[in-house]
Structure formats: C-alpha cells, structure tokens
Amino acid sequence: MDDIRARAAAKALPLNSQHISRRATVFNRFFAAIYGGAILALFYYHVASLLKPTSLGSFFVSVSLFISDIILAFMWVNAQSFRMNPLHRREYPGNLKELLKKDSDFPALDVFICTADPYKEPPINVVNTALSVMAYDYPTCKISVYVSDDGGSAMTLFAFMEAARFAAEWLPFCRENDVVDRNPAAFFVSNKDWNTRTDKMKEMYEKMKIKVENVLKKAKVGEELVNGEEERMVLDKWTNSFTPQHHPTVIHVLSENSKNADITGESLPNLIYVSRQKSKTSRHHFKAGALNTLLRVSATMTNAPIILTLDCDMYSNDPQTPARVLCYLLDAKLATHLGYVQFPQHFHGVSKNDIYGGELKRPYIINPPGMDGLLGPDYFGTGCFFVRRIFFGGPFSFQSPELSELSPNHVVGKPIKSPQILELAHRVAGCDYETNTQWGYKLGFKYGSVVEDFFSGYRFQSEGWRSVFCNPNRAAFYGDVPINLPDALNQIKRWAIGLLEVTFSNYSPITFGVRSMGLLMGLSYAHYAFWPLWSIPVAVYAFLPQLALINGAPIFPNVWDPWFLVYAFLFVGAYGQDLVEFVVVGGTFRKWWNDQRMWSVRALSCLLFGTMEFVLKSLGFSNFGFNVTSKVMDPEQSKRYEEELFEFGVFSPMFVPIATVATVNLAGGLIGIWRSCGGSGGGGWEKMLPQMLVVGFAVANCWPVYEAMALRNDGGKVPSKITFLSLFLALLICYFAAFLF
C-alpha cells in the first residue's frame, strides 16, 4: 500500500478531513471546572458531617454516602476525558478513483465472522452477514471471507455450502441493480421495486432459507441434501464422537476466486469455513482464541494486509464501506501509527423508544469522538478494519511469529486449496498449537479477559498504535439487539466480569494505561474498566434515602439549606448534560429516559452480580463460562418488545435486587407522602423533601417493574417466586433499618 500512499501524497488528493468543535470543547471544559468545584464542596460537606456524628447510625449513613459520592466523582472525572477534545472526521471516497484504477491496485481484504451456537445464532443470519460483505463494491478477487464456527456444527457448514451457491446469483444481482441493502433478508423486507428478476431472487433465497432451517430442526444434514463427493467427505467428519467441545480441525474452502465464478463469469470471493480443533483438556480462550486461529489460518491462505472483524449478526449496510476505510489507510500522514478503523455499532429492530437501552449510544457513538481526539476509539469487537501488522507488536517493535508463513509480510504463492496450504492451515488451527508461543500475549488478539475486544484494543494502543472513528451518515453495519431482559443483562454481566479482569490485572488503565498512553487516554479506558463500580453508589442511593424516609430520619440538607443547592446542581447538571449529549447524536427524550433507567437496572443486577462472580472466581469458588447471547426471535417476546413491556419471564437471581428496590421505594414513597401530610414522625416537609425527590425519581424509573409484578398476566411478567422473595427481603431490610435510624 506504500506506493499508493505515495501517489496520493504526490497528487495532493485529500482522502479525509477532521475538525474539532471549539464551542463544545470550551463549554465542556468550563462546565467541568464548575462541576468539579461543586464536587469538592460536597466532599467538604461530607467530611464536616463525619466529624460531627450524632449517633452510630448517622455515622454509618454519612460514610456510605461519602463512599458512594467518591465513586460517582471518580467516574465523572474519568468521563471528562471524552469531552476535552472531541474529534469528528469526514471521508472523500470519490478521490480514490484517481488512485485505484484497476483491481490489482486494491489491497486485499480478509473478513473474519465468528459464530458459536447454531441454536442461539441461527445459521441463516450468519449467512446473511457473509453475503452482505461478499457483495461489497470491491474487487471480488481481493475479498476472502473466513467463518469461524466455534460450535463445530455441520448445520452451519451446510448453510454456507448453500450460501456459496446462492452467492453466484446474488452478487451479480446486486451489481446490476445497484442494490444498497446487500443482506438478502434486509433487502427483501425493504425493497419496493419488484420485477421478475427480483421475484426469482427472492424465491431462490426462500428455498435456501427453508433448507437451512429444516436442517436445523432435524439437527442433521440429510444425505439427500449433499451435493457431490467433496461435500460428503467433509460432512463425514461429523461422527458420533464429534462434539462442540471435542473434535478435530475442519477447514473447508467453499469458493475460491481463482476457480469459482458467478453466473456472469466474474470471480467469487474466497469463502472458507473454519472450525478449530477442540479438546476438553486444552484452553480455548473463547472468542479471542477463535480470532487468533483465523489470523493464522488466513495468513497461510491469503494473508491480506487488511482484516475486518464482524459478529455473526452484524451485517454490512453500505457496500461503500471499504472505500471509506481506504481513505484512512492510504493516507500517508496516518499510515505509520494507524492500526484500525472502528465503525459505530448500530442496531435494527430496536423498539420505538429502545426499552432496554440496547443502542448503547454512549459507548458506541457519544464517547468515541472524544477518544478519537486523543489516540483513537477503543475496539468494539465488530465493525472494525485492522491493519494486519497491528497483531505483531508495536509500530516500531515488530514481534516475529514462530513461523515465517504467519508473518504479515509473507506472500502466499500457492492456491488456497493446495495440499501444502491446507496442511499448514490445519496445523495452525490445532488446539495445542499456541503452547509455548506468544499468541494471545505478544501476538494476535490478547488473552486475559473475556472482553477480548476491549482488552485487545487497549493493549494495541498502549503499544503505540492509533485508531480512527469513522461514523458516516449511512450506518456501515447493523446488528441485532436483545429483545428480553435476561439476554440484555447476561450480556452486560459478562462484560462486567471481563472489565474487572482488566481492572485488577497488571494492565489496569489507572496505572499501566496512564503511564503508557497519557492521563486522558488512561482515564478513558478507566471509565470502562471500572464500570462495574456503578453498582455501589446506585445500590446505596436506591436503599438508604428510602429507608431513612420510612423511619422519618432526614439524611440530606433541608430545602432552605444552601447545601441543598449543591446536591441539586450536581444531580441536574449530570443528568442535563447527559440528556443534551444524547439528543445531539439523534436520540429522543423517551429513549434517553429508558437509557438512564437501564443504567440503574444494570447497576443493581448484572453489574452487581458480575462483580460478585468476579470476586468468587478470584477466590477460586467460581469458574466463569462464556454464554452466547441468543439471536433467536421468539414471536411472543417480539410482540411484547414492540409494545415496550419489560420481559422477565424466567427466574433469574438478578431480578431479585431489582424487584426489592422497587418494593422498598414504593413503600418509602407512600410513607413519605403520609408523613408529609402530617403523619407520625413527619419532621417537617422541608427536611424530607430531598428524600421524597430521590424516591419519586426511583419510583418513576421502577414503573415497568411494578407493571410486571402486579398489573400484567402474560408470559413476560415477574415470576411469582421473585415477587414473594423481594417482598420478604424488603420487609427484612426495613426491619433491620429501624435499628439503624
């Protein structure tokens, strides 16, 4: 790519531009100074309260609130790193035409798609993702798609056998009709221009879909569905001893661009199925291990200088995406340190007001420009284009792999189906291959955390690499969003465990990160790494003011006290700034309200349980396993999701604190109203109003929980066991709180 960069520099062709919003930056810094002053004033108030305790109970309350506010202040300080220098970029893909005039000018692209369970990640969805990138507006002879099947499923392999045949029709159809939605399922749903050819394509797609889904229902590939001896030979590897946890390596080339062509004679992209060897006695390192296997296998077969990683449900929504990436990778000014180009995650099928806050706008859209103004955004785990060189040490400290064929500079000189290539590919996909090597530590994606994306991006940048956040007007990728509460919480719980693994490792962002990347970048990563700590202040503020209110004990300054204004400013300032930032990136008030509600729900459930599971694991009492988030759409759940009803349904321990908090807050609100109306132990409305405001805010946030506990009778309501358990715990907590106050 160096010669192309040189031509771009010689012609002075602008491939991208950038700008910083000075007004936003000045305002953010000014507001941070004022808000920081208010935090220091609050700390002074807390210290003064601790020095003048009236009882043991009041001392406990003061300490609890002080610790909670210290954590909130710490997280706020970390968050300011995103607001100090937000950078926005723009690409000019039209200028590439002057540089890339023939197919051979384009750099090769390897695409990695990971799947692990055909029942939670339906193969037809994975097929749609693969087809959407195979149909990029990019020379097909330069594209190679590698599908990692960590579930080792013959059904997934069969789905891709069908996909390879369908691609011969689908790719020319997209080119000839200027199709933009190149995921077949998305296209046939959104298309309004029907003709005979379109009808034929849909019929072919539906036949393929039915075949794949029938195989999934039967849990086997019938003999009548096998086409040719080659397919039979590879499917015969699925013997009775073949299990997802124990099986040999399976690598099957489904299409080869030098031999396979579509119906118009154009070459098809390479399409390769990879299921790495599994053994119950070997560590596999979850998704990071699967990606490292693809790194090595792809190096032996194609070794493209650019790598795109995708989740199996994250399909391409813009065929021009690779061109946008080249606008950065071919820029000589960025080339030395640029390691990856990250696109935001967008989601389709989101309910009108995003009831579960599944879009996660803050980590995926709001914060990345702030990191881009420093060293670049973190790695999201999908929708990211890497320079292969990034996996082999820092920009100026190359780490050689153990085999020269795995080096990013190696030129593959044989066809991908040649015996020598396939033999080496099988070797590097073996479960024991990484033993006594640097893979996962100094080479490839990094091991040490189940959030391999966050940890790998963090380590890459600590080695000196930079990244770029590319956020075009048309979303580059779309993925699935969880449509029920258990899936939404389980996903975040896994993140919480992985983030704590990073926090309490030798690579903690607050120490190692600050030393290696600078203060602001280290704080950016610390904001995510310490994310599970939100559970502490949220739990305190979800229980303590309410229990004090029930017992008629004021714990905040009364409304006429100047210190009340400090509390009010901190609350309104934090939520107000969050709302403005949310709306600026296209959100609505209702979506923001649901997003901040889910922030509290996550803190009381998955972040809390993730923290406890991490502690138990650290003490040797728990062994965390990787749970795949289900991508299957249940009709009844989908209906309730569209109606924006919380989906509890199944029993989960994580629901207990949510229901308990809802119960305690409702009791606190009712008793607070009674006291304000002259009930026993009222103590004056001006003393209790601050707690009433906290309780009122919590009760408003808990409305979907009350609805699911008492007002609904569908399959998504709170299980009766959870309701009774939460009532019992609420009574127990209130009983013991009476002794405290």
Side-chain angles (χ1 to χ4, degrees):
M1 293 191 289
D2 290 337
D3 57 333
I4 303 175
R5 294 187 186 112
R7 293 207 305 268
K11 293 185 177 182
L13 285 172
L15 297 178
N16 61 79
S17 62
Q18 60 187 50
H19 77 278
I20 294 174
S21 176
R22 297 298 176 189
R23 288 184 180 179
T25 301
V26 170
F27 172 80
N28 287 339
R29 294 178 181 182
F30 177 71
F31 183 78
I34 296 176
Y35 199 90
I39 290 176
L40 292 176
L42 180 65
F43 285 178
Y44 172 82
Y45 174 81
H46 278 307
V47 172
S49 299
L50 287 171
L51 294 176
K52 296 185 296 183
T54 57
S55 65
L56 182 62
S58 66
F59 180 77
F60 171 79
V61 170
S62 297
V63 169
S64 299
L65 292 176
F66 192 20
I67 291 174
S68 297
D69 289 343
I70 287 174
I71 294 173
L72 291 173
F74 172 70
M75 297 302 288
W76 176 84
V77 169
N78 292 341
Q80 299 319 297
S81 59
F82 303 119
R83 297 174 173 134
M84 294 299 100
N85 199 46
L87 181 69
H88 300 275
R89 300 180 184 271
R90 183 181 177 186
E91 310 79 44
Y92 305 104
N95 288 341
L96 289 173
K97 295 177 182 178
E98 295 294 319
L99 302 173
L100 308 172
K101 297 184 178 180
K102 54 185 184 295
D103 289 355
S104 60
D105 290 337
F106 287 79
L109 169 66
D110 285 346
V111 181
F112 296 171
I113 301 173
C114 293
T115 184
D117 187 332
Y119 293 101
K120 290 186 176 181
E121 298 169 335
I124 191 63
N125 292 354
V126 190
V127 162
N128 286 329
T129 296
L131 289 169
S132 71
V133 293
M134 290 172 72
Y136 268 149
D137 283 341
Y138 206 79
T140 52
C141 62
K142 293 288 187 173
I143 299 177
S144 300
V145 177
Y146 294 83
V147 179
S148 170
D149 179 15
D150 242 21
S153 170
M155 298 173 288
T156 300
L157 174 56
F158 171 76
F160 275 91
M161 289 174 174
E162 292 296 311
R165 286 186 277 272
F166 180 74
E169 298 273 355
W170 177 247
L171 270 60
F173 174 80
C174 291
R175 288 195 301 267
E176 294 166 7
N177 295 278
D178 294 324
V179 173
V180 178
D181 292 321
R182 299 196 176 178
N183 170 343
F187 170 74
F188 292 124
V189 168
S190 62
N191 179 59
K192 297 178 181 179
D193 184 18
W194 292 92
N195 53 47
T196 305
R197 182 78 193 281
T198 305
D199 289 336
K200 180 183 176 183
M201 283 305 308
K202 184 177 183 182
E203 182 181 351
M204 292 177 62
Y205 175 74
E206 291 298 330
K207 285 182 179 178
M208 176 182 69
K209 182 180 178 182
I210 290 170
K211 274 187 182 181
V212 171
E213 291 178 346
N214 284 341
V215 163
L216 195 62
K217 289 178 183 177
K218 295 177 181 178
K220 67 175 184 178
V221 181
E223 184 67 24
E224 72 282 0
L225 298 174
V226 180
N227 288 279
E229 189 62 27
E230 186 179 1
E231 290 188 4
R232 180 174 287 103
M233 287 179 62
V234 68
L235 289 170
D236 282 346
K237 294 183 180 181
W238 272 263
T239 61
N240 292 334
S241 62
F242 193 113
T243 68
Q245 297 80 28
H246 188 87
H247 62 79
T249 298
V250 180
I251 298 177
H252 183 59
V253 178
L254 295 149
S255 69
E256 184 178 3
N257 59 34
S258 62
K259 293 183 179 179
N260 300 106
D262 61 33
I263 58 172
T264 65
E266 289 283 336
S267 64
L268 285 171
N270 294 321
L271 178 60
I272 302 101
Y273 170 92
V274 179
S275 184
R276 58 180 171 148
Q277 183 186 15
K278 286 287 190 72
S279 170
K280 294 180 180 178
T281 60
S282 300
R283 296 187 66 187
H284 302 112
H285 301 288
F286 307 117
K287 186 179 176 182
L291 287 168
N292 279 337
T293 298
L294 290 185
L295 264 177
R296 296 191 297 271
V297 170
S298 66
T300 67
M301 303 181 92
T302 50
N303 209 31
I306 305 173
I307 294 171
L308 164 63
T309 62
L310 283 179
D311 283 344
C312 63
D313 64 318
M314 191 66 63
Y315 66 85
S316 170
N317 185 59
D318 184 0
Q320 290 289 320
T321 297
R324 294 188 179 278
V325 173
L326 293 182
C327 288
Y328 297 108
L329 297 185
L330 298 181
D331 187 338
K333 296 178 182 177
L334 300 173
T336 305
H337 293 86
L338 182 58
Y340 61 88
V341 178
Q342 177 66 65
F343 286 83
Q345 286 201 45
H346 291 281
F347 302 93
H348 65 91
V350 178
S351 66
K352 181 180 178 181
N353 296 302
D354 192 12
I355 186 69
Y356 297 127
E359 289 184 315
L360 296 170
K361 285 186 180 293
R362 184 154 291 284
Y364 291 151
I365 297 177
I366 298 174
N367 291 344
M371 297 183 77
D372 204 3
L374 303 172
L375 295 180
D378 56 316
Y379 169 41
F380 299 166
T382 185
C384 186
F385 289 79
F386 287 98
V387 175
R388 186 178 285 267
R389 170 65 180 80
I390 197 176
F391 301 106
F392 300 88
F396 305 108
S397 55
F398 180 71
Q399 181 75 31
S400 298
E402 63 286 349
L403 295 177
S404 61
E405 293 90 342
L406 302 181
S407 170
N409 301 317
H410 172 67
V411 178
V412 180
K414 296 179 181 179
I416 61 176
K417 276 191 175 183
S418 67
Q420 299 93 328
I421 294 294
L422 290 174
E423 180 183 358
L424 182 57
H426 278 78
R427 176 187 167 191
V428 300
C431 60
D432 294 325
Y433 178 80
E434 293 182 351
T435 305
N436 298 322
T437 71
Q438 294 298 321
W439 285 97
Y441 303 98
K442 293 185 178 180
L443 297 174
F445 293 88
K446 310 305 182 186
Y447 302 153
S449 171
V450 293
V451 285
E452 80 297 322
D453 44 9
F454 173 82
F455 189 47
S456 294
Y458 167 54
R459 291 283 304 281
F460 293 148
Q461 292 189 322
S462 69
E463 292 172 353
W465 292 102
R466 291 205 56 166
S467 59
V468 161
F469 184 60
C470 184
N471 187 15
N473 292 331
R474 181 178 176 85
F477 302 97
Y478 271 121
D480 292 331
V481 67
I483 65 168
N484 62 65
L485 194 57
D487 281 347
L489 298 183
N490 281 324
Q491 183 183 54
I492 302 296
K493 188 182 82 166
R494 178 176 67 82
W495 293 356
I497 296 170
L499 291 171
L500 288 172
E501 289 174 334
V502 178
T503 300
F504 293 98
S505 71
N506 293 331
Y507 297 100
S508 178
I510 206 67
T511 53
F512 176 83
V514 170
R515 288 197 309 269
S516 60
M517 295 185 288
L519 177 63
L520 290 180
M521 201 65 187
L523 292 180
S524 295
Y525 274 103
H527 177 78
Y528 294 123
F530 286 90
W531 204 27
L533 290 186
W534 284 118
S535 58
I536 297 173
V538 173
V540 169
Y541 277 99
F543 281 109
L544 208 54
Q546 295 78 355
L547 294 172
L549 184 61
I550 290 173
N551 289 277
I555 61 173
F556 296 125
N558 71 60
V559 293
W560 308 122
D561 191 325
W563 287 110
F564 173 75
L565 295 178
V566 175
Y567 271 97
F569 171 74
L570 291 172
F571 178 86
V572 174
Y575 276 88
Q577 187 176 31
D578 190 71
L579 171 60
V580 170
E581 291 175 341
F582 195 91
V583 171
V584 165
V585 297
T588 64
F589 176 81
R590 287 289 301 278
K591 282 190 174 184
W592 170 82
W593 179 262
N594 288 332
D595 185 79
Q596 64 81 30
R597 171 195 286 138
M598 281 303 300
W599 171 74
S600 301
V601 169
R602 293 183 192 114
L604 292 167
S605 54
C606 50
L607 296 183
L608 178 63
F609 276 77
T611 302
M612 292 190 297
E613 191 161 335
F614 170 77
V615 172
L616 291 174
K617 178 188 174 186
S618 301
L619 297 174
F621 295 116
S622 174
N623 185 22
F624 173 74
F626 186 92
N627 293 315
V628 177
T629 303
S630 177
K631 311 298 191 302
V632 179
M633 298 292 185
D634 177 83
E636 288 299 317
Q637 288 185 2
S638 296
K639 181 181 178 182
R640 288 191 287 272
Y641 179 67
E642 291 173 2
E643 294 172 353
E644 303 207 310
L645 299 174
F646 261 41
E647 179 73 36
F648 290 89
V650 298
F651 178 89
S652 171
M654 286 191 288
F655 296 160
V656 176
I658 299 172
T660 304
V661 165
T663 303
V664 170
N665 274 271
L666 183 60
L670 294 175
I671 293 175
I673 293 173
W674 174 63
R675 291 189 187 282
S676 298
C677 294
S680 175
W685 68 269
E686 67 277 2
K687 293 182 179 180
M688 308 308 292
L689 182 61
Q691 284 156 256
M692 285 291 293
L693 293 174
V694 172
V695 171
F697 183 75
V699 168
N701 267 314
C702 288
W703 172 250
V705 183
Y706 301 133
E707 194 177 38
M709 289 176 71
L711 303 179
R712 287 166 50 193
N713 195 32
D714 52 50
K717 68 177 184 178
V718 174
S720 56
K721 289 182 180 179
I722 297 291
T723 301
F724 289 128
L725 187 57
S726 64
L727 288 172
F728 172 74
L729 288 175
L731 289 172
L732 195 64
I733 291 169
C734 290
Y735 173 77
F736 284 107
F739 295 99
L740 178 65
F741 296 102

